[in-house]
Amino acid sequence: MSRIGRLPISIPAGVDVTVDGSLITVKGPKGELSLVVASPIEVKNEDGQLLVTRPDDERESRSLHGLTRTLIANQIVGVTEGYKKGLEVVGTGYRVAAKGESVEFALGFSHSITVTPPAGISFTVEGNNKLTVSGIDKQAVGEVAANIRKLRKPEPYKGKGVRYAGEVVRRKAGKSGK
């Protein structure tokens, strides 16, 4: 049995979880998320806890068991606390500025890059080199942050670019003189 999958998911106060066949809807103070559970996995709501079970020990069932439990737990955390991902812009002349809902990056190109947040995601700019991506969907927050980082990845010689907060960039020695 999956060690993660068999753990019950406790439902905190203020969160409403609806199990309708394979559709699970989680409503909380920050918003609402829904998930369609893959076919062999079953979810039951018992005594303020969610139990994720699998019918057999087939390879597919085992792989989906822990995944489903984690996805539901992430949704419950998302609608109560939300998720944040910090980004830092490092480099001379590199900066980020808020333009209404969207943000504008100066990353050493001849033009500035404007990024508009998708639905459910918000940007917070601190200073001119820190950006926080926040929202209730963990996967969406991580994907938006990864796409922003992809605009100018940190390079290994000077470390310039967009990096996650706390990310350590492995530096290389440059050319050595004769």
Side-chain angles (χ1 to χ4, degrees), residues 8-74:
I9 306 167
S10 61
I11 302 171
V15 176
D16 181 39
V17 178
T18 308
V19 180
D20 183 27
S22 64
L23 180 69
I24 295 170
T25 307
V26 180
K27 292 180 189 171
K30 291 200 176 238
E32 176 180 343
L33 293 170
S34 60
L35 172 74
V36 177
V37 177
S39 60
I41 305 298
E42 295 176 0
V43 180
K44 296 179 190 117
N45 192 348
E46 295 178 2
D47 306 330
Q49 290 185 330
L50 288 176
L51 296 174
V52 181
T53 57
R54 66 177 188 230
D56 51 30
D57 279 345
E58 298 274 329
R59 183 179 194 89
E60 185 180 6
S61 300
R62 285 182 302 166
S63 67
L64 291 171
H65 190 199
L67 171 73
T68 304
R69 189 249 178 230
T70 303
L71 291 176
I72 296 169
N74 286 346

Side-chain angles (χ1 to χ4, degrees), residues 34-166:
S34 60
L35 172 74
V36 177
V37 177
S39 60
I41 305 298
E42 295 176 0
V43 180
K44 296 179 190 117
N45 192 348
E46 295 178 2
D47 306 330
Q49 290 185 330
L50 288 176
L51 296 174
V52 181
T53 57
R54 66 177 188 230
D56 51 30
D57 279 345
E58 298 274 329
R59 183 179 194 89
E60 185 180 6
S61 300
R62 285 182 302 166
S63 67
L64 291 171
H65 190 199
L67 171 73
T68 304
R69 189 249 178 230
T70 303
L71 291 176
I72 296 169
N74 286 346
Q75 286 188 337
I76 290 174
V77 171
V79 296
T80 54
E81 301 165 23
Y83 288 101
K84 293 183 181 194
K85 199 86 166 175
L87 294 167
E88 297 172 348
V89 179
V90 178
T92 306
Y94 287 19
R95 62 186 168 276
V96 58
K99 295 281 187 204
E101 285 276 313
S102 58
V103 292
E104 190 172 78
F105 290 92
L107 297 174
F109 299 116
S110 60
H111 59 284
S112 61
I113 301 169
T114 305
V115 177
T116 307
I121 301 293
S122 62
F123 295 143
T124 309
V125 178
E126 303 157 23
N128 63 354
N129 65 347
K130 286 189 176 27
L131 172 72
T132 305
V133 180
S134 57
I136 61 172
D137 189 1
K138 186 175 186 178
Q139 188 263 336
V141 169
E143 185 176 359
V144 169
N147 287 337
I148 291 172
R149 182 181 181 270
K150 207 187 297 182
L151 296 174
R152 178 74 92 173
K153 289 184 182 175
E155 53 99 13
Y157 297 102
K158 291 185 178 180
K160 293 165 44 169
V162 180
R163 62 174 79 164
Y164 296 121

